Amino acid sequence: MLEIRDLSYCYPDAEKPSLTGVSLNAGRGKILGLLGPNGAGKTTLISHLSGILQVQHGAILIDGSPLAVVRRKAPTRIAVAPQEYAFYPMLTVKENLECFAAAGRLGGERKRRRIVECLAFSRLERFVKIRAERLSGGLKRRLNLAIALLPEPELILLDEPTVGVDPQSRAFLLDAVKMIANSGAAVIYTSHYMDEIEAIADRVVILDDGKILRDGTLDELLRDGVAHMRLAVEGVPADEMNALLGRYGKVESVGEEWRVTLAHDRTPAELLAAVEKLGGRLKYVEFGRNNLEQLFMALTHRPLRD
Amino acid sequence: MLLALIKKEFLALIRDVHGLAALFLMPAIFIIIMSLALKDVYSPSTKALPYAVENRDSGQLADNFLAEWKKRHGSPQANSASWKDEVRDGKLSYALIIEKNFSRELAAEHPGSEKQLRLIAEPGLESSAFTANNAELIMIANELRARALLSAARMSQRLPQRSSQRSLRSGAPDESVPVSALAMIDTERLSAGSRPTAVQQNVPAWLVFGMFFVVASLANLFIQERQCGALTRLASLGVPTSVMIWSKALPYLAINGLQAALMLAVGVWLMPLLGGDALSLAGIHWGALMLVLLAVSMAAIGLALALASLVRTHAQASALGPIVNILMAAIGGVMVPKFIMPEVMQRLAEFSPMNWGLEGMLAVLLRGSDMTGVLLPAAKLMGFATIMIIIAVVFFRRRAN
């Protein structure tokens, strides 16, 4: 549905581009998890899709047609639920929905039906007469989502939709996102919560410094962790452990935990046998699968970004 | 779509209590306080007022009178032939007309009933300035008449006559001889329009000022929408910039209309109840009033939109809006009447949109001007509004990108 080809963008007076050669795809009925530290280029990418930024280099295609053409003809095919509470705090829930429904060119019966459906979908029926400024964080997030869904978009971008909500609202929102995808829309979901992406994304793109570092299904990405071992051992002095593990690959010590990236010609079984031979008692050992957070941190490194 | 956005704007306005108070209460309070406070203590300098002279008398006393007047008020405008039009339009503050028998009648023991000295003021001349000129006119004429009578008395001393001898004995002219020249002097305003009271002067001034106060309200709402991402959302839904701009402009046009109605009602009905003079709308050209009000409103809304597009935060809008308003008011003759300003400031006032609005309002309410009389200030205001809206659109698009 969405195809981004070699997209690059540099803001006026910026020292370096915000996006460099970004290519990705998002399909109908699928959730694309977009990960990246602050300043990675996510907002620039979303701004392109929401029509705020024009393409400088590369192409963005919707079903093969340039995004600009699609937006001109039917801007509501693509919706954005921004990170901010992008509605009018002094208006009630219903007034906000009416305002944005009209802005999205919904009218008459369809407008009334969509407002009812979106209220039901976000479970906001009980709050229609409440001013948006008086809603809790979770309800505000739900309203933000409901507004985005009003024109029945084919592609929806959800920018950190669970920031500042309680676990119940978060679970509800994640289920809602899955339902949106199941109904046939293409969903791009950005978040800093790796467990959310792991829970709902069919495909994950890791973006940093304006470039795509990884793009694949969760299985494909986490399979990279097959060469990593984490273990804690008793009964062997640290210097001896370090020397032993060093023969099997690259070693890192974090507290009592040893992290080993195995060399190509070494196996976990050999390493564990060597530890036992040295008299070490294993407290725990993990092997075979990274989690998304480890992969993300390994790829983007630890320095603060802002 | 437009209706829904307009409805949203009204709802947002109604729920902004502080903004509404600033829009309606502030100018009403200003009108009341300033009108009452300035009712009796308005003491303007009349020295710098532009005037014309038409001297139909070739006598010495007329020359003496003019010399004295020039000493006090400076020289008259060189081009005084068309004084009537210029006085009617307010370009000249007044004209002095000395009739052909002025010198003879001023020196006569029993002058005729015809007026020999006229001061014809422009319709909008402030009451205090009008009264001060009137008093000065009488004073100078009285002095000249007293000297003339005394001189005649001295002459009669050399050629004694009964009445003159009586006068000399008593040390004063004959009691039957009127000393005052008051009966020979006539002062009037050119138009039959309203008498310029403090209310008649203040209502237009503070109404224009109040209408420009939509700047802060509109700019703050605009920034709130921009900061929360609602504007971006509207843009991503394909709402054209022109619709966004009009959805803001039209409700504030209505607000300005309500403000005008309220301020005029305060002047007409509330001020008399508080012991002040009533604002008179009798005989005014309503079409001209509507045109000026519309032009002022468009200028205020244009300025608000431009300001909102230029600033980045609420704090900037909250500070900059009132500052721009107060500066325009101070420069434009709202807070300090233009005629008592130094000449440089008077020139500067001509660059203030509030002054254009004020001139238009005064033309309608004091000079009874019709459409043609307010065309220039209205055109200036509309031109200003157009430039401001262009700036708003350009910066709005630039900010969005």
Side-chain angles (χ1 to χ4, degrees), chain A residues 50 52-53 71 75-76 80-82 84-91 95 98-100 102-103 105 131 144 147-148, chain B residues 1 4-5 7-8 11-13 15 221 224-225 227-240 399-401:
Chain A
S50 57
I52 296 168
L53 294 180
R71 288 202 62 82
T76 53
V80 179
E84 303 85 14
Y85 298 130
F87 45 73
Y88 294 99
M90 70 297 280
L91 302 192
E95 287 162 352
E98 285 172 342
C99 173
F100 285 103
R105 293 171 174 77
R131 284 195 206 173
N144 221 20
I147 292 169
Chain B
M1 181 199 294
L5 294 178
K7 183 187 167 193
K8 173 268 299 174
L11 289 167
L13 262 171
R15 287 162 195 178
L221 263 174
Q224 189 178 3
E225 280 182 293
Q227 283 184 339
C228 79
L231 276 188
T232 308
R233 187 165 229 164
L234 291 175
S236 81
L237 285 167
V239 178
R399 280 281 154 82
N401 292 335

Side-chain angles (χ1 to χ4, degrees), chain A residues 23-96:
Chain A
S23 297
L24 59 86
N25 294 297
R28 284 192 171 79
K30 301 286 182 192
I31 299 172
L32 175 72
L34 183 60
L35 286 175
N38 293 337
K42 296 192 302 287
T43 305
T44 308
L45 188 58
I46 291 169
S47 298
H48 274 91
L49 294 171
S50 57
I52 296 168
L53 294 180
Q54 303 302 312
V55 174
Q56 281 178 351
H57 179 268
I60 303 176
L61 305 173
I62 302 287
D63 292 331
S65 299
L67 175 71
V69 175
V70 173
R71 288 202 62 82
R72 247 195 320 276
K73 283 185 186 165
T76 53
R77 282 182 71 187
I78 302 141
V80 179
Q83 210 177 108
E84 303 85 14
Y85 298 130
F87 45 73
Y88 294 99
M90 70 297 280
L91 302 192
T92 66
V93 167
K94 194 171 180 199
E95 287 162 352
N96 265 299

Side-chain angles (χ1 to χ4, degrees), chain B residues 122-395:
Chain B
E122 67 119 335
L125 183 66
E126 286 71 16
S127 299
S128 48
F130 183 73
T131 311
N133 272 339
N134 189 17
E136 214 172 337
L137 206 65
I138 295 165
M139 189 190 78
I140 296 171
N142 280 350
E143 199 179 316
L144 288 174
R145 177 166 168 75
R147 276 191 208 153
L149 288 174
L150 204 59
S151 175
R154 282 187 188 132
M155 288 284 288
S156 64
Q157 199 177 18
R158 286 197 291 274
L159 300 166
Q161 283 178 7
R162 263 180 205 173
S163 63
S164 299
Q165 278 175 334
R166 263 203 318 270
S167 302
L168 281 174
R169 273 200 302 274
S170 64
D174 189 338
E175 282 173 13
S176 65
V177 175
V179 177
S180 171
L182 186 61
M184 301 169 55
I185 296 170
D186 183 34
T187 53
E188 60 175 319
R189 288 180 188 278
L190 197 58
S191 118
S194 309
R195 191 171 60 92
T197 60
V199 174
Q200 208 82 15
Q201 298 280 350
N202 275 310
V203 169
W206 296 113
L207 173 54
V208 170
F209 185 59
M211 285 172 76
F212 268 88
F213 255 79
V214 296
V215 169
S217 175
L218 195 158
N220 269 316
L221 263 174
F222 197 85
I223 286 161
Q224 189 178 3
E225 280 182 293
R226 201 170 65 204
Q227 283 184 339
C228 79
L231 276 188
T232 308
R233 187 165 229 164
L234 291 175
S236 81
L237 285 167
V239 178
T241 307
S242 59
V243 171
M244 289 196 214
I245 300 264
W246 278 110
S247 75
K248 303 212 150 289
L250 293 176
Y252 279 95
L253 268 176
I255 291 289
N256 274 162
L258 274 176
Q259 276 183 308
L262 179 70
M263 300 307 122
L264 294 175
V266 166
V268 172
W269 290 299
L270 183 60
M271 287 312 296
L273 295 177
L274 296 171
D277 296 309
L279 176 75
S280 169
L281 300 177
I284 65 159
H285 193 288
W286 285 94
L289 179 66
M290 292 299 139
L291 178 65
V292 174
L293 288 174
L294 178 71
V296 171
S297 185
M298 289 302 293
I301 291 165
L303 178 65
L305 289 169
L307 205 67
S309 302
L310 288 168
V311 300
R312 288 177 185 275
T313 63
H314 282 292
Q316 287 173 341
S318 303
L320 206 58
I323 287 171
V324 169
N325 267 355
I326 288 165
L327 270 178
M328 284 197 307
I331 293 169
V334 169
M335 292 188 166
V336 181
K338 192 177 149 193
F339 76 96
I340 65 167
M341 290 179 181
E343 200 176 330
V344 178
M345 290 298 289
Q346 290 194 25
R347 292 259 179 278
L348 200 61
E350 287 161 17
F351 291 97
S352 168
M354 274 198 201
N355 183 253
W356 308 334
L358 182 58
E359 286 300 320
M361 291 292 287
L362 289 176
V364 176
L365 292 178
L366 290 176
R367 296 181 195 116
S369 295
D370 57 9
M371 288 292 215
T372 47
V374 297
L375 221 50
L376 183 63
K380 282 183 185 174
L381 286 163
M382 289 291 195
F384 175 77
T386 307
I387 292 168
M388 290 296 112
I389 288 171
I390 290 169
I391 290 173
V393 171
V394 168
F395 276 86

